[in-house]
Amino acid sequence: LEKLFPRSYIFSTAASSIPGQRFIRPTGTSVTFVLALMLCGLLVLVCSRAGTLVFSVTALCVFTLYVAAVFGFFLFGGWVLPLLPVLIPLVAVYLFSNHWQRRQYQVFSFVDDLTGLHNRRWLNDLLPRQVSRASMSGESLSVGMIDIDHFKSFNDTYGHQAGDFVLAAVAKCLVDNLRPTDLSARYGGEEFTIIFPQTNIEGAITAAERMCKSVSLLNLVTPNGVNLPTITISIGVSELTANQRMDQLIETADRALYEAKETGRNRVCKGTTEKVLPETEDN
């Protein structure tokens, strides 16, 4: 074999000596553990600050460097670094990173960037389950539809940046006046939706009136120091009735919101199932 594979005798002798550890001195468990911990810490740091592609490339580089170190220690130092204690944490961190990335993408897809509230996609996913649970358990469930009064005119007068500032300020004010169990979302544009679990229509109206008052008392000053005029909101509230679907619950609250805007704004109106919403232009 020497003609075909130079130094084959040396390598074959070394390979046959590995099981008996006659000339190889393995590293201690503590050394391997510390090295594995450092590598996994690096990977966790990378996957928490970068995308999946960057993490995958980093994991591949770390593994390649470790394998190179294994052969380097073996060929030049007569030391053996075991692979298994590092491979297992690497696989664990990789699985964690994939789960973490999926979780982050899911969270971002359900959050409105401007206000920090949940968005309509989240509402369409959660509200049917809330309606189903309330219907089966017999618990009360109320919904509030909120609209910022004259917001289009405000945008035209003060600009979209000021409008975005007002949206964020109103959203924060709504959250500050809700119970921990209440749920809020940006329905679209200048409209918001509040879900009041285990709350009847009287309790929802009380909470809505408190939000109306708090928003009207906001002192709105932009980061540039511009004082903005007082903002008010109109709210329509409805309570889930027997055999009512989610879209019917929202429609009832929307009719109540229309009534609140038609009767003077800056007020709360209670939704009923008998009224029919006239066809008018958006206010």
Side-chain angles (χ1 to χ4, degrees), residues 19 37 60 70 78 93 108-109 138 147 175 177 179 231-232 236 255:
L37 192 62
L60 179 61
V70 169
V93 172
F108 290 149
S109 67
D147 187 89
V175 172
N177 285 275
R179 302 171 301 178
I231 292 294
T232 61
R255 287 200 299 265

Side-chain angles (χ1 to χ4, degrees), residues 1 7 19 27 30 35 40 56 68 74 79 83 93 99 105 113 127 136 160-161 175 193 212 232 237 242 271:
L1 295 175
R7 296 181 296 279
T27 58
S30 59
L35 182 58
C40 292
S56 301
F74 172 71
W79 292 61
L83 286 174
V93 172
H99 173 75
Y105 292 148
D113 292 337
L127 189 53
M136 290 188 295
H160 290 284
Q161 288 188 344
V175 172
T193 303
C212 268
T232 61
V237 179

Side-chain angles (χ1 to χ4, degrees), residues 85-220:
V86 172
L87 282 176
I88 293 177
L90 280 177
V91 172
V93 172
Y94 178 75
L95 294 177
F96 157 77
S97 70
N98 281 345
H99 173 75
W100 181 85
Q101 291 286 346
R102 287 195 299 270
R103 179 63 180 168
Q104 288 298 106
Y105 292 148
Q106 184 181 22
V107 169
F108 290 149
S109 67
F110 286 152
V111 174
D112 177 63
D113 292 337
L114 178 61
T115 62
L117 300 180
H118 295 293
N119 56 22
R120 189 166 180 175
R121 179 184 298 178
W122 173 87
L123 183 68
N124 291 337
D125 178 70
L126 177 75
L127 189 53
R129 288 185 280 137
Q130 290 283 338
V131 169
S132 177
R133 186 176 69 176
S135 298
M136 290 188 295
S137 64
E139 296 176 347
S140 299
L141 176 68
S142 298
V143 168
M145 295 294 293
I146 303 172
D147 187 89
I148 300 178
D149 296 330
H150 303 294
F151 187 72
K152 185 179 182 303
S153 300
F154 181 91
N155 258 347
D156 294 339
T157 303
Y158 295 95
H160 290 284
Q161 288 188 344
D164 291 345
F165 173 79
V166 167
L167 285 172
V170 170
K172 184 180 183 304
C173 184
L174 296 178
V175 172
D176 291 342
N177 285 275
L178 292 176
R179 302 171 301 178
T181 54
D182 297 333
L183 306 168
S184 56
R186 185 183 179 188
Y187 195 74
E190 69 274 18
E191 290 190 356
F192 302 90
T193 303
I194 307 296
I195 303 175
F196 302 99
Q198 300 178 349
T199 305
N200 58 22
I201 190 67
E202 288 77 16
I205 290 175
T206 300
E209 289 175 344
R210 182 174 64 249
M211 287 186 285
C212 268
K213 182 178 180 181
S214 298
V215 170
S216 65
L217 295 176
L218 282 176
N219 182 24
L220 298 172

